[in-house]
Amino acid sequence: WIIYKSSRSVLNITFKDFGYMDYHDNRDRVKELCIDLCMMMSASDGQLDQSELDIVKNWLKLDYETLKDDELKNKEKEKFSSYLRKSYENAKSFKLKYDDLIVEINEKFDNAAKYSLVELLLEVISADGTFSSDEDKLLTNLVKSLKLDHDTVLTMKNKTFLRVESIESDSQDLDTLFGIVSSMSQTEKCSHLTKEYSKWLNQTTNKDEKKRERAKDMISKISKLR
């Protein structure tokens, strides 16, 4: 007689990132949190500009306009238009709580969604043509709170700098503007600024005159900071 022996093992794997069902279940709340943070960003410079509000409206429109069912499309449009109005009023009366929003965003957003949120916020920032120091400070705090890659977001910011008409900053804001953090050593700060200098130097030959002028302005700011 031949006796066969067999065995079975069970391996449990836990994934830290979000799955499809997580995203599906949180989909509406994710959009609401994006709206709230956009309204908070818009109000951070002391005013809620219509052009910034329009960026969020168009972002929402891109989502519900893809729906083929007209009844569902109108339902989604009304639901999020209503939420946008409510969030707008809450932002004007300073009822939105940054810490509460951050906790929930970290619970419900994966990394891709967080970077998409930053991209949307940068669109909101640039809508009125000015990148203010208050907006930059809020964005910097957000990057830290959401544990995003510092250099990746700085690259995204640099693209925004090329679009806006003006950048508000003084000597105390330059660190934030160029992504200098307190944990850097003096050597690391100088090395970081050298890289930023090289990036902007490449833009001084851009065919677009506005971009060339912005590059010259940024190089001047970097030299001052160094």
Side-chain angles (χ1 to χ4, degrees):
W1 293 85
I2 300 175
I3 300 175
Y4 291 95
K5 298 179 68 175
S6 64
S7 63
R8 183 178 66 174
S9 61
V10 177
L11 178 64
N12 293 318
I13 301 175
T14 302
F15 292 93
K16 292 183 179 179
D17 212 346
F18 293 77
Y20 172 79
M21 290 307 298
D22 293 305
Y23 176 79
H24 184 270
D25 292 342
N26 295 325
R27 185 172 177 271
D28 284 359
R29 186 55 185 155
V30 164
K31 285 196 285 187
E32 290 173 353
L33 289 166
C34 286
I35 292 170
D36 285 340
L37 207 54
C38 284
M39 292 299 97
M40 181 173 283
M41 178 63 77
S42 181
S44 65
D45 60 359
Q47 56 185 0
L48 281 158
D49 193 88
Q50 182 61 44
S51 61
E52 296 170 329
L53 190 62
D54 288 341
I55 292 293
V56 184
K57 286 182 177 179
N58 290 333
W59 172 73
L60 288 169
K61 185 177 180 180
L62 285 173
D63 194 35
Y64 64 70
E65 282 294 331
T66 59
L67 298 173
K68 294 181 180 180
D69 187 303
D70 288 339
E71 184 178 349
L72 181 58
K73 184 186 297 185
N74 291 331
K75 183 179 179 181
E76 288 286 294
K77 178 181 178 181
E78 179 55 37
K79 177 171 62 177
F80 287 106
S81 295
S82 176
Y83 191 88
L84 179 58
R85 289 192 293 269
K86 178 183 175 182
S87 182
Y88 178 83
E89 293 300 324
N90 285 337
K92 284 202 303 182
S93 57
F94 303 102
K95 291 181 180 178
L96 295 176
K97 305 299 182 182
Y98 175 81
D99 290 341
D100 293 342
L101 291 177
I102 293 301
V103 168
E104 198 169 355
I105 287 171
N106 275 323
E107 290 175 348
K108 292 182 169 62
F109 285 49
D110 61 10
N111 274 340
K114 289 178 181 179
Y115 283 112
S116 294
L117 171 58
V118 170
E119 189 174 24
L120 177 60
L121 289 171
L122 287 169
E123 289 287 339
V124 170
I125 289 172
S126 63
D128 63 356
T130 300
F131 198 110
S132 75
S133 58
D134 289 327
E135 290 169 330
D136 197 18
K137 288 173 183 175
L138 179 56
L139 183 64
T140 299
N141 288 334
L142 180 69
V143 171
K144 183 178 180 180
S145 299
L146 299 184
K147 300 178 181 178
L148 298 176
D149 181 70
H150 184 267
D151 290 338
T152 299
V153 176
L154 185 58
T155 299
M156 296 167 72
K157 276 175 58 176
N158 284 345
K159 292 178 181 178
T160 304
F161 291 153
L162 289 170
R163 296 200 302 266
V164 297
E165 295 295 326
S166 63
I167 299 173
E168 294 179 355
S169 64
D170 54 36
S171 57
Q172 293 181 333
D173 299 323
L174 289 179
D175 279 5
T176 302
L177 190 68
F178 290 105
I180 296 294
V181 295
S182 58
S183 60
M184 290 179 175
S185 67
Q186 290 296 97
T187 301
E188 288 172 332
K189 290 177 182 179
C190 288
S191 176
H192 176 79
L193 288 174
T194 298
K195 291 178 182 178
E196 287 302 300
Y197 182 91
S198 297
K199 290 178 185 178
W200 286 108
L201 186 63
N202 290 334
Q203 290 293 337
T204 58
T205 57
N206 196 297
K207 294 181 180 180
D208 189 314
E209 182 181 357
K210 288 185 178 180
K211 291 181 179 180
R212 291 200 305 270
E213 291 303 313
R214 173 49 39 75
K216 292 176 183 177
D217 177 52
M218 298 301 276
I219 285 173
S220 175
K221 285 181 168 64
I222 291 171
S223 299
K224 182 179 180 180
L225 185 56
R226 289 190 68 181

Coordinates of all heavy atoms in Angstrom, one line a residue, residues 5 19 36 47 76 78 87 111 120 141 143 158 168 186 196 202 206 215 218:
K5 N 0.3 11.7 1.9 CA 0.0 12.7 3.0 C -0.1 14.1 2.3 O 0.7 14.4 1.4 CB 1.1 12.7 4.0 CG 1.3 11.4 4.7 CD 2.4 11.4 5.7 CE 2.1 12.3 6.9 NZ 3.1 12.3 7.9
G19 N -8.6 49.6 -1.7 CA -9.1 48.8 -2.8 C -10.2 49.4 -3.5 O -10.7 50.5 -3.2
D36 N -14.6 70.8 0.4 CA -14.4 71.6 1.6 C -13.0 72.1 1.7 O -12.8 73.3 2.0 CB -14.6 70.7 2.8 CG -16.1 70.4 3.1 OD1 -16.9 71.2 2.7 OD2 -16.4 69.4 3.8
Q47 N -10.4 86.1 0.9 CA -11.6 86.3 0.0 C -11.8 85.0 -0.8 O -11.0 84.2 -1.1 CB -11.3 87.5 -0.9 CG -10.1 87.3 -1.8 CD -9.8 88.5 -2.7 OE1 -10.6 89.5 -2.6 NE2 -8.8 88.5 -3.4
E76 N -27.1 63.8 -9.3 CA -25.7 64.1 -8.9 C -25.4 65.6 -8.9 O -24.7 66.1 -8.0 CB -24.7 63.3 -9.8 CG -24.7 61.8 -9.5 CD -24.1 61.4 -8.2 OE1 -22.8 61.6 -8.1 OE2 -24.8 60.9 -7.4
E78 N -27.4 68.2 -8.7 CA -28.1 68.9 -7.6 C -27.5 68.6 -6.3 O -27.3 69.5 -5.4 CB -29.6 68.5 -7.6 CG -30.4 69.2 -6.5 CD -30.2 70.7 -6.5 OE1 -30.1 71.3 -7.6 OE2 -30.1 71.3 -5.4
S87 N -20.7 74.4 1.6 CA -19.3 74.5 1.9 C -18.8 75.9 1.7 O -18.0 76.4 2.5 CB -18.5 73.5 1.0 OG -17.1 73.5 1.3
N111 N -3.0 57.4 -1.9 CA -2.0 58.4 -2.3 C -2.4 59.0 -3.6 O -2.1 60.2 -3.8 CB -0.6 57.7 -2.4 CG 0.1 57.7 -1.1 OD1 -0.2 58.5 -0.2 ND2 1.1 56.8 -0.9
L120 N -5.9 69.7 -7.8 CA -7.1 70.5 -7.8 C -6.9 71.8 -7.0 O -7.3 72.9 -7.5 CB -8.2 69.7 -7.3 CG -9.6 70.4 -7.2 CD1 -10.1 70.9 -8.6 CD2 -10.6 69.5 -6.6
N141 N 1.5 73.0 4.9 CA 0.9 72.2 6.0 C 0.2 71.0 5.6 O 0.3 69.9 6.2 CB 0.0 73.1 6.9 CG 0.8 74.2 7.6 OD1 1.9 74.0 7.9 ND2 0.1 75.3 7.9
V143 N 0.7 69.2 2.8 CA 1.6 68.2 2.3 C 2.2 67.4 3.5 O 2.4 66.2 3.4 CB 2.7 68.9 1.5 CG1 3.9 67.9 1.2 CG2 2.2 69.4 0.2
N158 N 5.8 74.3 -9.0 CA 6.6 75.1 -10.0 C 5.9 75.3 -11.3 O 6.0 76.3 -11.9 CB 8.0 74.4 -10.2 CG 8.9 74.6 -9.1 OD1 8.8 75.5 -8.2 ND2 10.0 73.8 -9.1
E168 N 2.9 86.3 -4.3 CA 3.1 87.2 -3.1 C 4.0 86.5 -2.1 O 3.8 85.4 -1.7 CB 1.7 87.4 -2.5 CG 0.8 88.2 -3.3 CD -0.5 88.4 -2.6 OE1 -0.7 87.9 -1.6 OE2 -1.4 89.2 -3.2
Q186 N 22.1 73.2 6.8 CA 22.5 74.3 5.9 C 23.0 73.8 4.6 O 22.7 74.3 3.5 CB 23.6 75.2 6.6 CG 23.1 76.0 7.8 CD 22.1 77.0 7.4 OE1 20.9 76.8 7.5 NE2 22.6 78.1 6.9
E196 N 16.9 73.9 -7.5 CA 15.8 74.8 -7.9 C 16.3 75.9 -8.8 O 15.6 76.3 -9.8 CB 15.1 75.5 -6.6 CG 14.3 74.5 -5.8 CD 13.2 73.9 -6.6 OE1 12.3 74.7 -7.1 OE2 13.2 72.7 -6.8
N202 N 16.7 76.9 -16.6 CA 16.2 76.3 -17.9 C 15.0 77.0 -18.5 O 14.8 77.0 -19.7 CB 15.9 74.8 -17.7 CG 17.1 74.0 -17.4 OD1 18.2 74.3 -17.8 ND2 16.9 72.9 -16.7
N206 N 12.6 80.0 -22.3 CA 11.3 79.6 -22.8 C 10.8 80.5 -23.8 O 11.0 81.7 -23.8 CB 10.3 79.5 -21.6 CG 9.1 78.8 -21.9 OD1 8.3 79.1 -22.7 ND2 8.9 77.7 -21.1
A215 N 10.7 83.1 -14.6 CA 11.9 82.4 -14.3 C 13.0 83.4 -13.7 O 13.7 83.0 -12.7 CB 12.5 81.7 -15.5
M218 N 12.1 84.2 -10.1 CA 12.3 83.1 -9.2 C 13.8 83.0 -9.0 O 14.2 82.7 -7.8 CB 11.7 81.8 -9.8 CG 10.2 81.8 -9.9 SD 9.3 82.2 -8.4 CE 9.3 80.5 -7.7

